[in-house]
């Protein structure tokens, strides 16, 4: 079925806003009518009516100059959650505020901070944002209020882009320093003596976008905060924490885990909301036997093109850099004809240079840019003005992230539309066919594991570099003495006068990245005419995107990688015109180092433990735009990457496999590969995590010559050191097995498809049934029986 969004052409006499509203109303009416048709791709439409705001008077304690500025900016009264924050912070409590996107969270911390500095001019505050772009955006907002007051309050960003000659002035003069955890970790804490004035007078630490700090990044930040509090105590300061978060299931526990303090939760949103429509769209099936649907990127392109050409300012989210650039290429092609214009369509992602990103943000606010294709870089609270529609190409991975993206539309109290276009991935298909799970379910918990030994000991090194660690002093959950003795044994610490002192000539913070295995970005140099830097690429992504002969996509232009210098972290590219992009092929090997727990399941075993993951990029495919045909390949030999982490795994013995005599050895391996796809989907739902947090690998262990091979199917934590997901998964083995069986058995395809075990072309035509046979054996053991019921049913 072809969904066509029939918009009326705006009349020349209508204002632009009325035309946009009329076009949006027509789009929503067409979608509602389409849902009533047989085999409609519209799986759900949810309507959220507009709501009135709830207000309280500006507290009398707010200084008159500040009250006057608020009035002049149209804020005669505060939203109830803003007023509650002011009261609780004024009372000295640590506060975490959780309200939806565009609900005025910034004023929740700016108001008490400005209030305090006006009363106490020497007071200092530190704002932590996860990205540089958000720091710049919030600095603009803060400066607006300060300038309106005519105050001498000084605020500056301090990050990697800050000029060296400005840094001394910031350290000495700034009342408010806006920075990010990475800069705090490497550029501020190790040099705290230069920041003495800040730390002596530090009254507030603001952590914005709290929900962003989950997994390994959050675990690192918790240890950075431990170091920060330690230095504050040294200078005699005990700052208050103010945290802001989008909707997650556990905001207060997360804030308390990150900071080690007790928090007051503010979650009674008083902000008004505009009318919102949320649509789930599942591309039509084109081959029922193979379970193949129309490509979700092409469907996203078609929907977004119609919206843009009918006047709707549209934000398209893709889940990775490659999908972003492919969609951008498609949309620029589609908008090459009037009334649209290809220059009105732009991309936005982390690799773009800061000036490019600022231009795009300004173009969105001004209305010059009609469509942006973005990664999650625009998911955070950067002000991009009033958008009509958000289209998501694929499920973002979590309920919380999906709502965060949807909240980017209608930020000016207007009617807005959000559409989720599902891919064929199993999790996408589960969500789009079970909309109640999304609309009625709780958002995910954000988990961190700050006491992960690898992370903890790395930050203990940094702490000892910053200040000697006293005997009996805790770092984390227990005294640091035992770990300090270990660091002494490897020549990094020395015990003297009741404290552990740093003795190495190394600089520990520089070797520890908060976000990834390596802290070094690759720079991309265009040598088409004269050499110029056009982008930065994070280390893990560079291995798949900047290998020699890769097609690197940037703003829908194709560049061929001529040379990659791995040691210098540089890649040289040349602009080319081609009709394909490249996709890297990797090989992953997992080695079990230690088993923590295990239990039998039939003749197989389920277990979890510590593993070593070795990953290498071994080749690449050439994929044609639009048709997605594989039109060529090449071999590569890049350095192998090693990671220690934790894994949940199933070990299949020869005795277990012998109970499947009807399956050839190849069919068994295909079935296990298909089960890995299904297990990751179900595990992500059980753990309420992003599927990308879990890696899947099938490895073979060869036993005695007579016994043959013994495969292990791994679901491993996709972060160094692990983030604590394998242990709960081990406890949930029955639910995992039953969920995988239900996912595969209820899929309408005949022999496996992308929505269950994977495409039949990749896993073999018998993978679906063979996977069900293996699951029946495992579940029969869980239920205390040993029969395969309906082995071929």
């Amino acid at each position: 079925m072809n969904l066509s969004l029939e918009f009326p052409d705006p009349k020349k006499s209508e204002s632009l806003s009325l035309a946009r509203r009329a076009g949006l109303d027509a789009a929503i009416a067409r979608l509602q009518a389409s849902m009533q048709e047989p085999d409609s791709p519209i799986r759900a439409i949810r309507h959220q009516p507009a709501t009135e705001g709830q207000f309280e008077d500006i507290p009398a304690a707010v200084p008159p100059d500040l009250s006057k500025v608020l009035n002049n900016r149209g804020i005669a009264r505060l939203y109830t959650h803003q007023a509650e924050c002011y009261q609780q912070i004024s009372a000295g409590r640590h506060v975490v505020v959780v309200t939806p996107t565009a609900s005025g969270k910034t004023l929740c911390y700016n108001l008490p901070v400005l209030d305090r500095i006006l009363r106490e001019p020497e007071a200092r505050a530190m704002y932590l944002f996860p990205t540089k772009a958000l720091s710049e955006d919030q600095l603009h907002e803060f400066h607006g209020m300060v300038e309106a007051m005519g105050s001498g309050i000084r605020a500056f960003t301090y990050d990697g882009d800050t000029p060296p000659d400005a840094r001394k002035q910031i350290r000495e003069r700034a009342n408010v320093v806006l920075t990010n955890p990475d800069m705090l970790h490497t550029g501020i804490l190790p040099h705290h003596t230069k920041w003495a004035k800040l730390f002596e007078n530090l009254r507030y630490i603001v952590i914005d976008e709290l929900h962003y700090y989950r997994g390994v990044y959050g675990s690192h930040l918790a240890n950075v905060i431990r170091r920060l509090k330690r230095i504050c105590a040294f200078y005699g300061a005990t700052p208050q924490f103010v945290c802001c978060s989008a909707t997650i299931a556990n905001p207060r526990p997360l804030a308390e885990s990150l900071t080690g303090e007790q928090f007051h939760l503010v979650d009674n949103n008083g902000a008004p909301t505009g009318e919102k429509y949320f649509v789930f769209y599942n591309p039509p099936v084109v081959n029922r036997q193979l379970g193949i649907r129309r490509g979700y990127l092409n469907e996203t392109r078609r929907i977004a093109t119609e919206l843009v050409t009918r006047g709707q300012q549209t934000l398209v989210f893709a889940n990775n850099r490659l999908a972003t650039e492919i969609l951008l290429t498609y949309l620029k092609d589609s908008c090459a004809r009037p009334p649209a214009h290809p220059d009105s369509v732009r991309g936005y992602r982390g690799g773009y240079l800061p000036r490019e990103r600022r231009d795009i943000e300004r173009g969105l606010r001004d209305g010059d840019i009609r469509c942006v294709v973005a990664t999650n870089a625009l998911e955070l609270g950067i002000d991009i003005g009033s958008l009509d529609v958000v289209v998501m190409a694929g499920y973002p991975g979590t309920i919380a992230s999906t709502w965060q993206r949807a909240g980017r539309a209608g930020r000016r109290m207007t009617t807005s539309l959000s559409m989720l276009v599902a891919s064929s991935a199993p999790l996408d298909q589960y969500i789009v066919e079970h909309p109640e799970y999304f609309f009625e379910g709780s958002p995910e918990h954000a988990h961190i594991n700050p006491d992960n030994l690898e992370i903890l000991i790395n930050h203990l090194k940094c702490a000892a570099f910053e200040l000697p660690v006293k005997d009996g002093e805790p770092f984390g959950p227990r005294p640091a003495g035992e770990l300090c003795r270990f660091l002494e044994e490897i020549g990094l610490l020395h015990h003297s006068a009741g404290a552990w002192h740093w003795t190495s000539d190394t600089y520990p913070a520089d070797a520890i990245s908060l976000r990834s295995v390596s802290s070094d970005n690759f720079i991309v140099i265009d040598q088409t005419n004269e050499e110029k830097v056009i982008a930065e690429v994070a280390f893990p992504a560079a291995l798949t995107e900047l290998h020699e002969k890769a097609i690197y996509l940037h703003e829908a232009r194709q560049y061929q990688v001529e040379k990659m210098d791995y040691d210098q972290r540089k890649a040289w590219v040349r602009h080319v015109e081609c009709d394909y992009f490249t996709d890297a092929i990797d090989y992953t090997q997992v080695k079990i180092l230690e088993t923590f727990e295990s239990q039998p399941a039939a003749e197989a075993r389920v277990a979890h433990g510590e593993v070593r993951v070795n990953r290498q990029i071994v080749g690449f495919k050439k994929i044609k735009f639009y048709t997605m045909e594989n039109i060529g390949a090449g071999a590569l030999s890049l350095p192998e990457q090693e990671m220690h982490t934790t894994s949940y795994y199933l070990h299949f013995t020869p005795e277990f496999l012998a109970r499947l005599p009807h399956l050839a050895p190849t069919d068994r391996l295909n079935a296990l590969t298909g089960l890995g796809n299904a297990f990751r989907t179900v595990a992500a739902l059980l753990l309420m995590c992003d599927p990308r947090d879990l890696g899947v690998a099938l490895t073979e262990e060869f036993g005695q010559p007579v016994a043959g091979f013994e495969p292990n199917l791994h679901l491993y934590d996709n972060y160094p050191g692990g983030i604590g997901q394998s242990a709960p998964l081990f406890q949930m083995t029955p639910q995992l097995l039953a969920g995988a069986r239900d996912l595969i058995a209820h899929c309408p395809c005949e022999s496996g498809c992308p929505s269950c075990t994977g495409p039949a072309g990749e896993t073999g035509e018998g993978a679906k049934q063979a996977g069900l046979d293996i699951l029946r054996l495992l579940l029969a053991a869980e239920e205390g029986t040993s029969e395969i019921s309906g082995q071929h049913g």
Side-chain angles (χ1 to χ4, degrees):
M1 171 190 169
N2 181 29
L3 174 69
S4 177
L5 302 178
E6 300 293 341
F7 297 92
D9 281 319
K11 296 177 181 178
K12 292 181 181 178
S13 59
E14 289 181 312
S15 70
L16 179 61
S17 60
L18 287 174
R20 286 166 63 177
R21 175 61 202 252
L24 195 56
D25 286 346
I28 292 164
R30 176 69 186 98
L31 291 166
Q32 289 170 328
S34 172
M35 191 175 177
Q36 307 308 315
E37 299 171 8
D39 298 322
S40 170
I42 308 297
R43 308 309 298 154
I45 299 178
R46 294 295 169 100
H47 173 233
Q48 296 180 339
T51 60
E52 297 289 331
Q54 296 176 298
F55 300 91
E56 287 189 21
D57 291 336
I58 295 173
V62 174
D65 286 354
L66 190 48
S67 292
K68 184 179 177 182
V69 166
L70 292 176
N71 270 287
N72 291 342
R73 294 165 73 91
I75 305 172
R77 305 176 76 200
L78 299 180
Y79 298 141
T80 50
H81 63 275
Q82 294 170 335
E84 185 180 354
C85 281
Y86 178 85
Q87 291 156 4
Q88 295 296 331
I89 293 168
S90 299
R93 297 185 181 91
H94 305 287
V95 170
V96 55
V97 55
V98 185
T99 55
T101 309
S103 56
K105 286 193 284 287
T106 301
L107 196 60
C108 290
Y109 52 81
N110 275 346
L111 183 60
V113 167
L114 286 167
D115 179 297
R116 182 68 173 263
I117 297 173
L118 286 171
R119 299 172 192 278
E120 187 186 330
E122 288 301 304
R124 298 289 188 266
M126 180 182 290
Y127 288 10
L128 291 179
F129 301 99
T131 66
K132 295 177 188 175
L134 197 51
S135 297
E136 289 290 342
D137 195 60
Q138 295 300 322
L139 179 65
H140 178 75
E141 171 74 16
F142 191 89
H143 270 163
M145 294 187 69
V146 170
E147 288 169 7
M149 281 192 294
S151 163
I153 295 173
R154 297 172 296 273
F156 301 95
T157 56
Y158 191 85
D159 55 37
D161 297 334
T162 304
D165 57 347
R167 297 188 175 195
K168 184 178 180 182
Q169 291 290 321
I170 294 171
R171 288 194 292 263
E172 293 178 356
R173 299 177 62 232
N175 293 99
V176 179
V177 175
L178 297 88
T179 187
N180 55 68
D182 309 80
M183 196 66 182
L184 178 62
H185 160 60
T186 58
I188 297 177
L189 295 180
H191 310 289
H192 61 86
T193 53
K194 296 179 179 179
W195 291 86
K197 193 163 186 178
L198 172 85
F199 288 118
E200 286 169 354
N201 297 285
L202 192 58
R203 301 293 178 259
Y204 296 112
I205 298 169
V206 173
I207 304 176
D208 200 7
E209 307 289 355
L210 180 78
H211 57 280
Y212 194 87
Y213 301 107
R214 52 191 286 276
V216 68
Y217 192 28
S219 303
H220 274 294
L221 178 62
N223 282 282
V224 172
I225 297 294
R226 287 168 175 168
R227 290 160 49 200
L228 173 60
K229 289 174 64 179
R230 207 171 159 256
I231 286 171
C232 287
F234 177 77
Y235 287 99
T238 52
Q240 277 176 261
F241 287 91
V242 182
C243 300
C244 295
S245 175
T247 304
I248 52 174
N250 61 330
R252 184 161 58 192
L254 177 62
E256 292 175 349
S257 297
L258 278 169
T259 65
E261 304 289 352
Q262 296 293 309
F263 274 76
H264 175 85
L265 174 65
V266 176
D267 59 358
N268 60 331
N269 177 33
T273 59
E275 185 180 27
K276 297 180 185 293
Y277 289 87
F278 207 129
V279 177
F280 277 13
Y281 179 92
N282 202 8
V285 174
V286 293
N287 184 323
R288 196 164 297 280
Q289 183 178 1
L290 297 177
I292 296 173
R293 296 179 177 275
R294 274 194 202 151
Y296 80 105
L297 292 179
N298 263 320
E299 290 293 276
T300 302
R301 172 198 60 80
R302 191 175 55 77
I303 291 168
T305 300
E306 292 209 34
L307 288 162
V308 172
T309 54
R310 299 295 184 173
Q312 310 306 306
Q313 195 177 26
T314 303
L315 174 58
V316 180
F317 278 109
N319 287 335
N320 55 57
R321 196 201 69 78
L322 182 59
T324 301
E325 290 291 347
I326 292 170
L327 262 174
L328 182 59
T329 302
Y330 290 178
L331 281 164
K332 277 183 173 287
D333 288 348
S334 298
C335 293
R337 298 176 298 277
H341 190 279
D343 290 345
S344 68
V345 180
R346 299 291 299 273
Y348 188 104
R349 56 179 175 80
Y352 289 9
L353 298 176
R355 186 182 302 161
E356 281 182 289
R357 295 202 300 266
R358 298 298 88 74
D359 288 345
I360 295 163
E361 292 160 17
R362 186 165 52 250
L364 272 172
R365 284 194 294 268
D366 297 344
D368 299 332
I369 295 175
R370 305 307 301 158
C371 179
V372 165
V373 187
T375 59
N376 63 351
L378 266 184
E379 193 176 299
L380 302 176
I382 298 162
D383 182 16
I384 51 175
S386 175
L387 297 176
D388 302 310
V389 184
V390 164
V391 182
M392 288 169 260
Y395 180 60
T398 64
I399 294 172
S401 185
T402 308
W403 282 117
Q404 183 80 351
R405 292 183 184 188
R408 298 318 310 255
R411 286 173 68 89
R412 296 284 187 268
M413 294 302 304
T414 55
T415 298
S416 63
L417 170 66
S418 300
M419 289 188 72
L420 171 63
V421 180
S423 76
S424 292
L427 185 58
D428 285 46
Q429 289 299 307
Y430 181 88
I431 294 292
V432 81
E433 294 296 333
H434 299 82
E436 69 284 350
Y437 174 86
F438 175 82
F439 288 110
E440 297 166 20
S442 163
E444 293 77 10
H445 290 71
H447 292 293
I448 63 170
N449 182 16
D451 303 325
N452 170 303
L453 190 58
E454 183 175 338
I455 293 174
L456 185 71
I457 203 161
N458 274 331
H459 285 279
L460 181 59
K461 293 177 194 175
C462 299
F465 176 89
E466 290 151 6
L467 290 169
V469 180
K470 296 176 183 174
D471 288 348
E473 180 183 346
F475 189 78
R478 57 188 68 87
E482 187 178 346
L483 292 178
C484 288
R485 279 187 287 276
F486 167 74
L487 293 176
E488 182 183 43
E489 289 171 12
I490 60 175
L492 297 178
L493 297 186
H494 172 68
H495 190 263
S496 173
W500 299 91
H501 300 262
W502 183 258
T503 58
S504 170
D505 58 2
T506 59
Y507 178 67
D510 205 36
I512 301 161
S513 167
L514 303 191
R515 302 179 195 238
S516 60
V517 185
S518 168
S519 58
D520 297 331
N521 286 347
F522 278 71
I523 62 169
V524 183
I525 303 166
D526 178 14
Q527 55 181 18
T528 309
N529 296 312
E530 58 184 48
E531 288 196 354
K532 63 177 181 178
V533 175
I534 60 169
E536 286 185 48
V537 178
F539 179 87
L543 301 181
T544 60
E545 297 171 9
L546 295 177
H547 57 78
E548 291 180 8
K549 299 181 183 176
I551 297 297
Y552 178 73
L553 299 170
H554 185 82
E555 273 281 302
R557 290 162 64 91
Q558 292 102 41
Y559 298 86
Q560 180 162 302
V561 180
E562 302 285 333
K563 179 186 173 186
M564 178 193 195
D565 188 327
Y566 182 86
D567 295 325
Q568 294 297 313
R569 302 291 197 261
K570 293 179 180 178
W572 286 266
V573 302
R574 191 178 301 279
H575 180 234
V576 295
E577 296 288 347
C578 61
D579 62 352
Y580 69 91
F581 60 93
T582 51
D583 191 16
I585 304 166
D586 66 347
Y587 173 73
T588 301
Q589 183 68 24
V590 180
K591 172 72 175 174
I592 299 167
L593 302 178
E594 182 183 354
T595 299
F596 299 148
E597 291 180 273
S598 73
Q599 64 187 38
E603 284 83 3
R605 294 196 72 79
V606 295
H608 74 102
E610 184 180 353
V611 297
R612 183 181 69 233
V613 178
N614 292 85
R615 179 174 178 255
Q616 187 173 22
I617 308 300
V618 295
F620 64 93
K621 298 179 287 188
K622 296 179 179 179
I623 309 295
K624 193 167 185 177
F625 285 119
Y626 292 102
T627 65
M628 308 303 274
E629 294 171 85
N630 185 343
I631 57 172
L636 296 168
S637 182
L638 289 172
E640 190 174 75
Q641 303 301 308
E642 183 176 295
M643 172 176 75
H644 284 238
T645 185
T646 55
S647 178
Y648 166 85
Y649 56 94
L650 292 93
H651 175 69
F652 296 95
T653 63
E655 292 81 9
F656 179 90
L657 297 175
R659 298 183 62 190
L660 301 160
H662 60 292
L663 297 180
T666 304
D667 292 335
R668 294 169 187 170
L669 279 177
N670 286 341
L672 293 176
T673 301
L675 282 180
N677 292 329
F679 281 155
R680 174 155 57 182
T681 301
V682 177
L685 290 167
L686 291 173
L687 294 169
M688 300 186 82
C689 73
D690 190 318
R692 288 162 290 198
D693 291 345
L694 296 168
V696 179
L698 181 62
T699 62
E700 299 175 24
E701 287 191 8
F702 287 86
Q704 298 301 320
V706 178
F709 76 93
E710 303 183 21
N712 290 321
L713 180 55
H714 288 271
L715 282 175
Y716 60 87
D717 277 14
N718 219 352
Y719 295 102
I723 51 173
Q725 296 185 142
S726 60
L729 205 50
F730 176 76
Q731 301 297 329
M732 292 189 281
T733 294
Q735 298 97 304
L736 178 68
L737 298 177
R741 176 196 60 197
D742 293 344
L743 174 73
I744 298 170
H746 294 158
C747 185
C749 71
E750 293 184 12
S751 55
C753 73
S755 301
C756 59
T757 55
E762 294 179 12
T763 57
E765 289 198 4
K768 179 174 183 176
Q769 186 56 55
L772 286 171
D773 290 348
I774 291 172
L775 285 169
R776 288 191 185 106
L777 266 181
L778 294 169
L779 284 163
E782 286 287 335
E783 294 159 5
T785 65
S786 58
E787 297 298 319
I788 302 180
S789 61
Q791 187 167 343
H792 300 286

